[in-house]
Amino acid sequence: MEEIKAVDIQIFPYRYLKPETTEKILNSIYSLGKDIIRVIIHGQSLPKYVYYGPARGTPVNHPDRKVINVNGKDVELTVKVGKFIITVPYEKSVELSKKLDEICKKALPFGYSLNMGAFTKVKPTVSDYLKYGEGFEDKIDPRLIGMVDPTSRTSDKVKMIKGD
Amino acid sequence: MKENYKPQFYPGETIIGENRRKHMDPNCELKKLREISDDDLVRVLGHRNPGESYKTVHPPLEEMDFEEDAIKDLVEPIEGAKEGIRVRYIQFADSMYNAPAQPYDRARTYMWRFRGVDTGTLSGRQVIEIRELDLEKISKWLVETEIFDPATCGMRGATVHGHSLRLDENGLMFDGLQRYIYDEKTGHVLYVKEQVGIPLDEPVDVGEPLPQEYLAKITTIYRKDNIGMREDKEALEVVETIHVARSEGGFGMNSFKHDLKKRLGEE
């Protein structure tokens, strides 16, 4: 497999975000152009139905489980966003992290921390082989490695959004 | 003996220790910050409908025949027990971000202030079980006084996850079931579901969240960014003493050390 020289930039806001703020940040990230390889949003999952206790099975109707529009594409948020991991090419990482810092300064008045490093998997592991089978490395988009666990559907978890 | 004994409640020379003592001391009146009607509270608890009579598990104690028992004469039963009303619960989750109370503090407070309670401590939640009649009185006190904050405390019967997470943009503790919402127009917190997550017909207003600065003053949680435990010499001393006593007593170091030395051939 061809080695991708990419690094991750992690944005860690000091508060959990509203869908509106998430939408704003994601659109600003996508406006940075084609250099962005991949964006991951991470946070606490928002269940559709109550899964435990006497109210089991009742719909939750969480106001933050919303459909947001990212770069013209509708995405259903299934998490309360607490973290962004943005994968960028190594040679442009410093330049892009400065731009991301600017975006965060405007959108996150309550504070955040921005770190650069490896926050995602760099090599396939057992769960990837379970999902895709042996010898899959050359057959799929390398950005999908480590993104979805074997028990869930890829289409639920990954959205392909074209950058500008 | 009883007259000489003066309970100290809790060690600590910082405001955190002071707040913990305030919670635990049954003679200390806590400030009342909000008003919630009885019916609203009953709806959030979700054990019975407002106006409905209490379900009982046994006839009133006066009508029952018991064998002669000295303890029954000594101990005055609580109101709910007299009536034979069933046992129900209320459970609170408290955020680590300077919530006014936390599980251990709640446990000790409940034990000092109330009779006939069974309380259970977990890392992020504290349950209190008592006869339903008394539960409602206690819950009212727990929600109306400064032991409760609408944003950083939650009445959560099941699925309590959220106490150790960052707050959200409005300052509310995360709740996967979103039992309460922040009304951006009025700035109040509204309960839209009862404590286990069943939707309510009408929202219950529990008032405004307390300001962060005020919370930092009334909290019972030691935090590095507020007042750290290491700043409190007295509390630390007590904790260390207990730790040493427990370790030495538990492992039996003083009792067994001669035996051990003998076996090793040192004595």
Side-chain angles (χ1 to χ4, degrees), chain B residues 77-90:
Chain B
I78 56 171
E79 285 302 312
K82 268 186 202 162
E83 304 289 323
I85 292 162
R86 62 180 179 171
V87 171
R88 293 287 104 170
Y89 67 93
I90 184 167

Side-chain angles (χ1 to χ4, degrees), chain A residues 15-16 62 64 80, chain B residues 91-97 99 101 106 124-125 148-156 159-182 189 191 209 212:
Chain A
R15 292 283 177 103
Y16 275 97
H62 202 294
D64 288 347
K80 183 113 175 151
Chain B
Q91 183 167 257
F92 288 95
D94 302 289
S95 172
M96 282 163 58
Y97 283 88
R106 278 187 189 275
R125 58 194 157 121
F148 182 80
D149 169 43
T152 54
C153 298
M155 284 176 263
R156 303 181 178 187
T159 323
V160 295
H161 181 60
H163 84 282
S164 62
L165 304 176
R166 283 163 280 166
L167 303 174
D168 75 2
E169 278 188 68
N170 295 323
L172 258 62
M173 172 167 61
F174 172 82
D175 183 4
L177 304 187
Q178 204 63 24
R179 273 157 274 223
Y180 47 91
I181 52 165
Y182 182 76
V189 174
Y191 270 77
Q212 293 292 325

Side-chain angles (χ1 to χ4, degrees), chain A residues 7 10 13 22 26 39 45 61 64 66 70 74 86 90-92 105 123-124 160 162:
Chain A
V7 289
Q10 186 200 48
T22 311
L26 284 177
V39 183
S45 81
N61 294 326
D64 288 347
K66 260 188 191 167
V70 185
D74 286 342
I86 301 132
Y90 176 69
E91 60 277 6
K92 293 200 174 167
K105 251 181 216 163
K123 276 182 186 167
M160 288 302 199
K162 279 192 179 156

